[in-house]
Amino acid sequence: MRKKQQRRDALLKLVAEEGYLSLSAIAKSLDVSEQTIRRDFQALEEQPNIRRTHGGITLVQPIAKGDYTKRLRIASTEKTSVAFKAANFVKDGASVFLDHGTTSEAAAEALLARRNLRVTTYSIRIAAHFLDRDDITVAIPGGIVRQEDGAIVGPHNDDFMKQFRFDYAIIAVSGLDGSGRLADNDLFEVKRVQAAMQQADKSILMLTSDKIGVKSLFELCHLSDIDLLAASTPAKAALDGLLTTSGIKLI
């Protein structure tokens, strides 16, 4: 019993570090049967931030029911503004990665003005914006749909993003601190966005004033790693000297 608990404690620590664990890989690594690891995974799923996927378990950020709806209303005018700025920079026929979240939903709505796009996202809600457009192709990864906000959760270290090249990766974050550190509270989302940025010619950050000065758990990148900034007027005013030192281009 003690050995089993020690193994499960180790698995819990590992999934917290990696964000996703494969059943077959862990079984091989620990030299135990897949059935044993499957039982471990079933036990770990009792944790509020662990979800089983096909062939593994993943770490998710718990979201209280109704929180996503509330977030839709926060800084809604600013979100519409920065989303329009970001979408206006995208040309017809472009390949675009769209991050998950309420600001990205506004960007999806703004991108309906473009034609012949190829959109990749890990959000069911964002994909749904393009359902009636036969000139826009949408790609989404496999995984489990997080009911609270429509994000597709699953392995972040797979080869899904490596299949694509993007003209633009359009992203948003939970916070930008005073040192220029961009971060999010969901490790899974950070890993997916980092993978997309590596495949993109240019990254566009959409930034509203409610994100300025906010410290989040997992670092995405530094502001200087962003190519283009679509910021609301209040956000630009709050950035002080960060824009000058980062060398980022304002849209």
Side-chain angles (χ1 to χ4, degrees):
M1 178 66 72
R2 182 179 179 184
K3 185 177 180 180
K4 177 173 66 176
Q5 189 58 51
Q6 288 176 335
R7 187 177 63 247
R8 291 178 180 176
D9 288 344
L11 290 174
L12 189 60
K13 181 180 179 182
L14 191 58
V15 74
E17 294 172 349
E18 299 292 332
Y20 173 80
L21 297 182
S22 163
L23 187 152
S24 59
I26 289 296
K28 184 177 180 180
S29 174
L30 298 181
D31 195 24
V32 295
S33 70
E34 290 192 8
Q35 186 61 35
T36 296
I37 297 300
R38 187 174 289 110
R39 287 195 293 269
D40 288 341
F41 283 1
Q42 288 173 343
L44 291 179
E45 197 178 17
E46 295 178 4
Q47 300 288 331
N49 59 341
I50 301 295
R51 295 288 184 274
R52 275 195 296 165
T53 70
H54 179 69
I57 56 173
T58 189
L59 179 73
V60 300
Q61 178 72 15
I63 299 175
K65 189 174 182 180
D67 274 6
Y68 194 81
T69 302
K70 293 177 184 176
R71 280 159 47 189
L72 283 169
R73 296 193 293 267
I74 297 174
S76 58
T77 301
E78 287 188 61
K79 289 174 184 178
T80 301
S81 172
V82 300
F84 177 81
K85 291 176 182 178
N88 203 41
F89 197 85
V90 175
K91 307 300 181 186
D92 290 349
S95 176
V96 180
F97 167 79
L98 261 182
D99 195 2
H100 161 74
T102 55
T103 307
S104 296
E105 279 199 55
E109 189 68 26
L111 282 171
L112 292 174
R114 307 276 82 80
R115 294 194 57 80
N116 302 315
L117 297 180
R118 289 156 291 154
V119 176
T120 301
T121 184
Y122 60 99
S123 167
I124 288 290
R125 294 176 65 101
I126 286 176
H129 281 266
F130 304 105
L131 282 177
D132 296 328
R133 292 290 298 273
D134 57 11
D135 62 316
I136 297 179
T137 302
V138 181
I140 57 175
I144 294 175
V145 177
R146 191 164 58 189
Q147 293 184 349
E148 297 91 338
D149 60 355
I152 302 171
V153 297
H156 59 62
N157 57 346
D158 61 5
D159 293 328
F160 178 76
M161 289 298 174
K162 294 179 182 178
Q163 300 176 78
F164 306 97
R165 285 298 306 176
F166 306 114
D167 294 309
Y168 308 101
I170 302 179
I171 69 171
V173 292
S174 295
L176 167 64
D177 68 18
S179 68
R181 175 180 176 267
L182 297 166
D184 201 280
N185 288 318
D186 193 315
L187 179 61
F188 164 77
E189 294 184 18
V190 166
K191 294 294 186 180
R192 274 274 161 86
V193 173
Q194 286 174 336
M197 289 175 66
Q198 290 175 1
Q199 300 300 107
D201 292 336
K202 290 187 181 297
S203 54
I204 302 176
L205 172 65
M206 299 179 294
L207 189 65
T208 51
S209 60
D210 59 308
K211 309 301 183 185
I212 306 295
V214 176
K215 293 184 177 181
S216 300
L217 290 176
F218 303 106
E219 183 169 0
L220 172 67
C221 64
H222 190 270
L223 188 62
S224 60
D225 298 317
I226 300 296
D227 298 297
L228 304 165
L229 175 63
S232 65
T233 300
K236 284 187 290 185
L239 284 174
D240 295 325
L242 274 178
L243 288 181
T244 303
T245 57
S246 67
I248 194 170
K249 179 181 178 182
L250 278 171
I251 298 178

